Amino acid sequence: MEQCACVERELDKVLQKFLTYGQHCERSLEELLHYVGQLRAELASAALQGTPLSATLSLVMSQCCRKIKDTVQKLASDHKDIHSSVSRVGKAIDRNFDSEICGVVSDAVWDAREQQQQILQMAIVEHLYQQGMLSVAEELCQESTLNVDLDFKQPFLELNRILEALHEQDLGPALEWAVSHRQRLLELNSSLEFKLHRLHFIRLLAGGPAKQLEALSYARHFQPFARLHQREIQVMMGSLVYLRLGLEKSPYCHLLDSSHWAEICETFTRDACSLLGLSVESPLSVSFASGCVALPVLMNIKAVIEQRQCTGVWNHKDELPTSDSNPPIKLICGHVISRDALNKLINGGKLKCPYCPMEQNPADGKRIIF
């Protein structure tokens, strides 16, 4: 969308210049025609009287010719400036949109077309399920004859059901889920259940003095979390002192901040995905973001290859130095090299990154799997 906005801004500039030029051109020509019409009337009057051309009229005629010439030159110059603005729109399109990107991918990638198509469809379906667009995902499965079993769908259906309830400020389904998965959440050092109880307690506080007894009764749910969240529990219990005066005008007004609902949605999504072995971001969105980063570099390489007339360079498999037998390795500094390169760079049991000064233990490198 940002690329479209950039081109649209350039196009708006051109359209505005066209409008301004048209108005200026019409106004200048009308003034010039009026001026020439007056001079013509004076010359016709002098001719009818049979008087010779006076020095004043000769000077006026010279000034009129000069004015016509200056006006035409000014309009031509402005028109030329519009041409340069139009060309900038074309450059903006070339800069923001790559007209041909197929050249950066080997044709062999699409050899097993049916299998590749099925993998792509599955990635799209998983993304749609993860984003909560269940009806769209079901429609795609039907139209593509993709067979997705219920075991695959169930985690996404449950997550989206609970998230929809949280967006409506209904804590019931999330609390039920957190309690049923309490032990596994504790193994992840998750504070999801405590945050859900805290948010429910805050909702009771927002009900004012009428909810005071209910809030005190609900506080017993904090007992299992007293050791890890003692300070937060103390703050909530202290807020009861101001309940009759109104929390919104007390030092505890931050408890009523609506941002707590956005935070609980993020916490639930992160912890639930970790528990179910899912990534918070769908593989499709991660792949797309990675492609957006990598594609400009590959396009630049492709342009250099074409300029140097090195045709056919990317017509074979395994263009990159990495392969199954020589996988990419991520160093602790964040740079990535092949395993063969890593082995060659080891000196005295230490490895110095070829891209930065950091020295590290070769064993700390992690294999990257795409």
Side-chain angles (χ1 to χ4, degrees):
M1 289 302 296
E2 179 60 29
Q3 289 85 348
C4 293
C6 290
V7 175
E8 188 176 11
R9 284 194 292 270
E10 290 294 336
L11 187 59
D12 288 341
K13 291 178 184 177
V14 172
L15 294 175
Q16 184 59 40
K17 283 194 173 183
F18 266 114
L19 180 62
T20 305
Y21 176 77
Q23 294 173 346
H24 173 67
C25 183
E26 186 176 356
R27 185 170 56 253
S28 298
L29 291 176
E30 286 180 355
E31 291 176 357
L32 197 60
L33 286 171
H34 180 70
Y35 183 70
V36 172
Q38 288 182 330
L39 179 59
R40 180 181 180 183
E42 292 181 11
L43 290 173
S45 177
L48 288 175
Q49 295 176 5
T51 57
L53 189 65
S54 65
T56 302
L57 279 177
S58 297
L59 179 61
V60 171
M61 286 183 64
S62 300
Q63 291 176 345
C64 181
C65 293
R66 191 178 303 112
K67 186 171 184 177
I68 292 172
K69 183 179 179 181
D70 292 343
T71 301
V72 172
Q73 288 179 346
K74 180 66 170 60
L75 293 176
S77 176
D78 293 344
H79 192 268
K80 188 181 295 184
D81 184 53
I82 291 178
H83 276 286
S84 64
S85 299
V86 172
S87 66
R88 280 197 291 271
V89 174
K91 292 177 181 177
I93 293 174
D94 295 337
R95 185 170 59 251
N96 289 282
F97 297 98
D98 296 316
S99 57
E100 179 59 55
I101 63 173
C102 296
V104 301
V105 181
S106 171
D107 293 338
V109 172
W110 308 107
D111 286 348
R113 188 172 184 84
E114 185 175 348
Q115 181 183 3
Q116 297 288 352
Q117 188 176 14
Q118 188 174 15
I119 293 173
L120 179 59
Q121 289 172 350
M122 194 64 188
I124 295 173
V125 167
E126 182 177 349
H127 175 79
L128 293 173
Y129 275 125
Q130 191 156 351
Q131 296 299 315
M133 294 181 278
L134 308 180
S135 60
V136 181
E138 292 292 338
E139 188 68 26
L140 177 59
C141 289
Q142 292 178 8
E143 293 187 4
S144 62
T145 65
L146 194 65
N147 185 20
V148 180
D149 56 34
L150 185 60
D151 292 337
F152 176 82
K153 300 178 187 179
Q154 191 58 39
F156 299 109
L157 296 174
E158 187 175 18
L159 288 179
N160 283 289
R161 176 181 64 83
I162 297 173
L163 280 173
E164 285 179 6
L166 287 175
H167 287 308
E168 296 175 1
Q169 300 191 358
D170 179 7
L171 294 168
L175 271 170
E176 182 181 349
W177 185 90
V179 170
S180 64
H181 295 83
R182 177 179 294 169
Q183 188 56 42
R184 295 184 63 190
L185 287 171
L186 289 175
E187 292 172 0
L188 293 174
N189 295 321
S190 169
S191 59
L192 174 63
E193 187 180 351
F194 168 73
K195 289 183 176 180
L196 289 167
H197 286 305
R198 182 185 64 177
L199 196 53
H200 185 77
F201 183 83
I202 291 172
R203 291 191 69 181
L204 293 174
L205 293 179
K211 294 288 186 178
Q212 184 173 1
L213 292 178
E214 188 177 350
L216 284 169
S217 176
Y218 192 83
R220 60 186 173 80
H221 289 91
F222 296 139
Q223 192 275 330
F225 312 101
R227 185 175 61 85
L228 295 176
H229 301 279
Q230 180 180 359
R231 176 59 183 163
E232 293 167 277
I233 295 172
Q234 289 174 344
V235 170
M236 286 186 290
M237 300 309 294
S239 65
L240 291 168
V241 177
Y242 293 88
L243 201 58
R244 294 187 180 279
L245 299 175
L247 287 184
E248 62 278 0
K249 298 178 182 179
S250 74
Y252 298 92
C253 60
H254 64 277
L255 294 176
L256 303 177
D257 196 325
S258 60
S259 62
H260 293 305
W261 288 100
E263 180 188 353
I264 201 65
C265 289
E266 293 176 5
T267 303
F268 172 78
T269 302
R270 183 185 66 247
D271 292 352
C273 287
S274 298
L275 195 68
L276 298 172
L278 302 172
S279 61
V280 177
E281 297 289 338
S282 73
L284 181 63
S285 61
V286 174
S287 301
F288 182 81
S290 302
C292 290
V293 174
L295 191 59
V297 178
L298 294 176
M299 291 298 296
N300 289 337
I301 295 174
K302 176 177 176 290
V304 171
I305 290 174
E306 290 177 348
Q307 288 175 1
R308 296 184 180 181
Q309 298 181 348
C310 301
T311 57
V313 174
W314 281 359
N315 291 337
H316 309 285
K317 297 181 179 179
D318 298 331
E319 292 88 357
L320 297 175
T322 55
S323 61
D324 292 338
S325 59
N326 182 30
I329 305 295
K330 179 180 178 294
L331 307 180
I332 59 175
C333 56
H335 293 111
V336 178
I337 59 176
S338 66
R339 178 178 288 171
D340 289 346
L342 182 145
N343 294 331
K344 292 177 182 178
L345 291 170
I346 297 175
N347 186 7
K350 291 289 184 180
L351 169 68
K352 181 182 179 299
C353 176
Y355 300 105
C356 71
M358 181 175 288
E359 288 191 357
Q360 50 206 287
N361 188 336
D364 292 334
K366 303 294 183 183
R367 178 178 177 178
I368 297 178
I369 300 176
F370 295 100

PDB file of all heavy atoms in Angstrom, residues 52-69:
ATOM      1  N   PRO A  52      -1.263  59.361 -40.324  1.00  0.00           N
ATOM      2  CA  PRO A  52      -0.122  58.427 -40.334  1.00  0.00           C
ATOM      3  C   PRO A  52       0.053  57.789 -38.942  1.00  0.00           C
ATOM      4  O   PRO A  52      -0.417  58.305 -37.943  1.00  0.00           O
ATOM      5  CB  PRO A  52       1.067  59.315 -40.693  1.00  0.00           C
ATOM      6  CG  PRO A  52       0.661  60.696 -40.303  1.00  0.00           C
ATOM      7  CD  PRO A  52      -0.818  60.774 -40.487  1.00  0.00           C
ATOM      8  N   LEU A  53       0.781  56.654 -38.933  1.00  0.00           N
ATOM      9  CA  LEU A  53       1.026  55.928 -37.682  1.00  0.00           C
ATOM     10  C   LEU A  53       1.891  56.761 -36.756  1.00  0.00           C
ATOM     11  O   LEU A  53       3.012  57.156 -37.124  1.00  0.00           O
ATOM     12  CB  LEU A  53       1.700  54.586 -37.970  1.00  0.00           C
ATOM     13  CG  LEU A  53       1.830  53.618 -36.786  1.00  0.00           C
ATOM     14  CD1 LEU A  53       0.448  53.179 -36.307  1.00  0.00           C
ATOM     15  CD2 LEU A  53       2.660  52.398 -37.196  1.00  0.00           C
ATOM     16  N   SER A  54       1.377  57.035 -35.577  1.00  0.00           N
ATOM     17  CA  SER A  54       2.121  57.888 -34.644  1.00  0.00           C
ATOM     18  C   SER A  54       3.220  57.081 -33.948  1.00  0.00           C
ATOM     19  O   SER A  54       3.217  55.850 -33.932  1.00  0.00           O
ATOM     20  CB  SER A  54       1.169  58.467 -33.587  1.00  0.00           C
ATOM     21  OG  SER A  54       0.637  57.424 -32.790  1.00  0.00           O
ATOM     22  N   ALA A  55       4.155  57.849 -33.355  1.00  0.00           N
ATOM     23  CA  ALA A  55       5.261  57.200 -32.627  1.00  0.00           C
ATOM     24  C   ALA A  55       4.738  56.422 -31.423  1.00  0.00           C
ATOM     25  O   ALA A  55       5.270  55.361 -31.057  1.00  0.00           O
ATOM     26  CB  ALA A  55       6.271  58.256 -32.168  1.00  0.00           C
ATOM     27  N   THR A  56       3.647  56.940 -30.829  1.00  0.00           N
ATOM     28  CA  THR A  56       3.079  56.249 -29.650  1.00  0.00           C
ATOM     29  C   THR A  56       2.519  54.886 -30.028  1.00  0.00           C
ATOM     30  O   THR A  56       2.754  53.876 -29.359  1.00  0.00           O
ATOM     31  CB  THR A  56       1.975  57.111 -29.029  1.00  0.00           C
ATOM     32  OG1 THR A  56       2.496  58.380 -28.665  1.00  0.00           O
ATOM     33  CG2 THR A  56       1.391  56.432 -27.794  1.00  0.00           C
ATOM     34  N   LEU A  57       1.768  54.855 -31.173  1.00  0.00           N
ATOM     35  CA  LEU A  57       1.208  53.577 -31.622  1.00  0.00           C
ATOM     36  C   LEU A  57       2.306  52.595 -32.038  1.00  0.00           C
ATOM     37  O   LEU A  57       2.192  51.389 -31.825  1.00  0.00           O
ATOM     38  CB  LEU A  57       0.247  53.806 -32.776  1.00  0.00           C
ATOM     39  CG  LEU A  57      -1.170  54.259 -32.398  1.00  0.00           C
ATOM     40  CD1 LEU A  57      -2.002  54.514 -33.647  1.00  0.00           C
ATOM     41  CD2 LEU A  57      -1.856  53.220 -31.526  1.00  0.00           C
ATOM     42  N   SER A  58       3.367  53.129 -32.638  1.00  0.00           N
ATOM     43  CA  SER A  58       4.488  52.258 -33.018  1.00  0.00           C
ATOM     44  C   SER A  58       5.116  51.620 -31.786  1.00  0.00           C
ATOM     45  O   SER A  58       5.443  50.422 -31.771  1.00  0.00           O
ATOM     46  CB  SER A  58       5.547  53.073 -33.778  1.00  0.00           C
ATOM     47  OG  SER A  58       5.019  53.578 -34.979  1.00  0.00           O
ATOM     48  N   LEU A  59       5.257  52.415 -30.713  1.00  0.00           N
ATOM     49  CA  LEU A  59       5.822  51.886 -29.474  1.00  0.00           C
ATOM     50  C   LEU A  59       4.887  50.844 -28.850  1.00  0.00           C
ATOM     51  O   LEU A  59       5.329  49.799 -28.356  1.00  0.00           O
ATOM     52  CB  LEU A  59       6.071  53.038 -28.492  1.00  0.00           C
ATOM     53  CG  LEU A  59       6.638  52.657 -27.114  1.00  0.00           C
ATOM     54  CD1 LEU A  59       7.997  51.979 -27.284  1.00  0.00           C
ATOM     55  CD2 LEU A  59       6.747  53.874 -26.221  1.00  0.00           C
ATOM     56  N   VAL A  60       3.577  51.135 -28.905  1.00  0.00           N
ATOM     57  CA  VAL A  60       2.605  50.201 -28.354  1.00  0.00           C
ATOM     58  C   VAL A  60       2.623  48.879 -29.120  1.00  0.00           C
ATOM     59  O   VAL A  60       2.527  47.792 -28.532  1.00  0.00           O
ATOM     60  CB  VAL A  60       1.192  50.811 -28.363  1.00  0.00           C
ATOM     61  CG1 VAL A  60       0.139  49.775 -28.005  1.00  0.00           C
ATOM     62  CG2 VAL A  60       1.113  51.984 -27.397  1.00  0.00           C
ATOM     63  N   MET A  61       2.769  48.976 -30.457  1.00  0.00           N
ATOM     64  CA  MET A  61       2.834  47.752 -31.268  1.00  0.00           C
ATOM     65  C   MET A  61       4.068  46.920 -30.926  1.00  0.00           C
ATOM     66  O   MET A  61       4.008  45.688 -30.839  1.00  0.00           O
ATOM     67  CB  MET A  61       2.842  48.119 -32.754  1.00  0.00           C
ATOM     68  CG  MET A  61       1.489  48.576 -33.286  1.00  0.00           C
ATOM     69  SD  MET A  61       1.525  48.908 -35.062  1.00  0.00           S
ATOM     70  CE  MET A  61       1.889  47.290 -35.700  1.00  0.00           C
ATOM     71  N   SER A  62       5.182  47.615 -30.730  1.00  0.00           N
ATOM     72  CA  SER A  62       6.405  46.898 -30.352  1.00  0.00           C
ATOM     73  C   SER A  62       6.241  46.210 -29.007  1.00  0.00           C
ATOM     74  O   SER A  62       6.653  45.058 -28.819  1.00  0.00           O
ATOM     75  CB  SER A  62       7.594  47.877 -30.304  1.00  0.00           C
ATOM     76  OG  SER A  62       7.798  48.478 -31.557  1.00  0.00           O
ATOM     77  N   GLN A  63       5.627  46.925 -28.054  1.00  0.00           N
ATOM     78  CA  GLN A  63       5.394  46.338 -26.740  1.00  0.00           C
ATOM     79  C   GLN A  63       4.434  45.138 -26.826  1.00  0.00           C
ATOM     80  O   GLN A  63       4.600  44.141 -26.124  1.00  0.00           O
ATOM     81  CB  GLN A  63       4.816  47.388 -25.793  1.00  0.00           C
ATOM     82  CG  GLN A  63       5.809  48.483 -25.411  1.00  0.00           C
ATOM     83  CD  GLN A  63       5.171  49.563 -24.550  1.00  0.00           C
ATOM     84  OE1 GLN A  63       3.939  49.655 -24.467  1.00  0.00           O
ATOM     85  NE2 GLN A  63       6.003  50.394 -23.935  1.00  0.00           N
ATOM     86  N   CYS A  64       3.441  45.248 -27.706  1.00  0.00           N
ATOM     87  CA  CYS A  64       2.476  44.158 -27.885  1.00  0.00           C
ATOM     88  C   CYS A  64       3.166  42.904 -28.429  1.00  0.00           C
ATOM     89  O   CYS A  64       2.930  41.789 -27.943  1.00  0.00           O
ATOM     90  CB  CYS A  64       1.364  44.601 -28.830  1.00  0.00           C
ATOM     91  SG  CYS A  64       0.082  43.338 -29.096  1.00  0.00           S
ATOM     92  N   CYS A  65       4.045  43.097 -29.429  1.00  0.00           N
ATOM     93  CA  CYS A  65       4.779  41.953 -29.994  1.00  0.00           C
ATOM     94  C   CYS A  65       5.670  41.290 -28.942  1.00  0.00           C
ATOM     95  O   CYS A  65       5.758  40.060 -28.852  1.00  0.00           O
ATOM     96  CB  CYS A  65       5.617  42.423 -31.187  1.00  0.00           C
ATOM     97  SG  CYS A  65       4.637  42.953 -32.603  1.00  0.00           S
ATOM     98  N   ARG A  66       6.311  42.154 -28.133  1.00  0.00           N
ATOM     99  CA  ARG A  66       7.181  41.629 -27.091  1.00  0.00           C
ATOM    100  C   ARG A  66       6.362  40.853 -26.040  1.00  0.00           C
ATOM    101  O   ARG A  66       6.775  39.805 -25.558  1.00  0.00           O
ATOM    102  CB  ARG A  66       7.945  42.768 -26.426  1.00  0.00           C
ATOM    103  CG  ARG A  66       9.083  42.273 -25.512  1.00  0.00           C
ATOM    104  CD  ARG A  66       9.862  43.435 -24.903  1.00  0.00           C
ATOM    105  NE  ARG A  66      10.398  44.305 -25.926  1.00  0.00           N
ATOM    106  CZ  ARG A  66       9.988  45.566 -26.153  1.00  0.00           C
ATOM    107  NH1 ARG A  66       9.007  46.093 -25.420  1.00  0.00           N
ATOM    108  NH2 ARG A  66      10.531  46.299 -27.102  1.00  0.00           N
ATOM    109  N   LYS A  67       5.189  41.368 -25.722  1.00  0.00           N
ATOM    110  CA  LYS A  67       4.344  40.716 -24.732  1.00  0.00           C
ATOM    111  C   LYS A  67       3.840  39.376 -25.246  1.00  0.00           C
ATOM    112  O   LYS A  67       3.769  38.393 -24.488  1.00  0.00           O
ATOM    113  CB  LYS A  67       3.164  41.623 -24.384  1.00  0.00           C
ATOM    114  CG  LYS A  67       2.301  41.086 -23.247  1.00  0.00           C
ATOM    115  CD  LYS A  67       1.288  42.111 -22.789  1.00  0.00           C
ATOM    116  CE  LYS A  67       0.501  41.575 -21.587  1.00  0.00           C
ATOM    117  NZ  LYS A  67      -0.458  42.553 -21.062  1.00  0.00           N
ATOM    118  N   ILE A  68       3.468  39.310 -26.514  1.00  0.00           N
ATOM    119  CA  ILE A  68       3.022  38.046 -27.105  1.00  0.00           C
ATOM    120  C   ILE A  68       4.142  37.011 -27.052  1.00  0.00           C
ATOM    121  O   ILE A  68       3.936  35.853 -26.674  1.00  0.00           O
ATOM    122  CB  ILE A  68       2.557  38.267 -28.564  1.00  0.00           C
ATOM    123  CG1 ILE A  68       1.277  39.107 -28.594  1.00  0.00           C
ATOM    124  CG2 ILE A  68       2.327  36.928 -29.272  1.00  0.00           C
ATOM    125  CD1 ILE A  68       0.862  39.537 -29.984  1.00  0.00           C
ATOM    126  N   LYS A  69       5.371  37.455 -27.395  1.00  0.00           N
ATOM    127  CA  LYS A  69       6.516  36.547 -27.399  1.00  0.00           C
ATOM    128  C   LYS A  69       6.816  36.036 -25.990  1.00  0.00           C
ATOM    129  O   LYS A  69       7.040  34.834 -25.780  1.00  0.00           O
ATOM    130  CB  LYS A  69       7.727  37.267 -27.975  1.00  0.00           C
ATOM    131  CG  LYS A  69       8.972  36.390 -28.083  1.00  0.00           C
ATOM    132  CD  LYS A  69      10.129  37.158 -28.696  1.00  0.00           C
ATOM    133  CE  LYS A  69      11.375  36.290 -28.779  1.00  0.00           C
ATOM    134  NZ  LYS A  69      12.523  37.042 -29.354  1.00  0.00           N
TER     135      LYS A  69
END
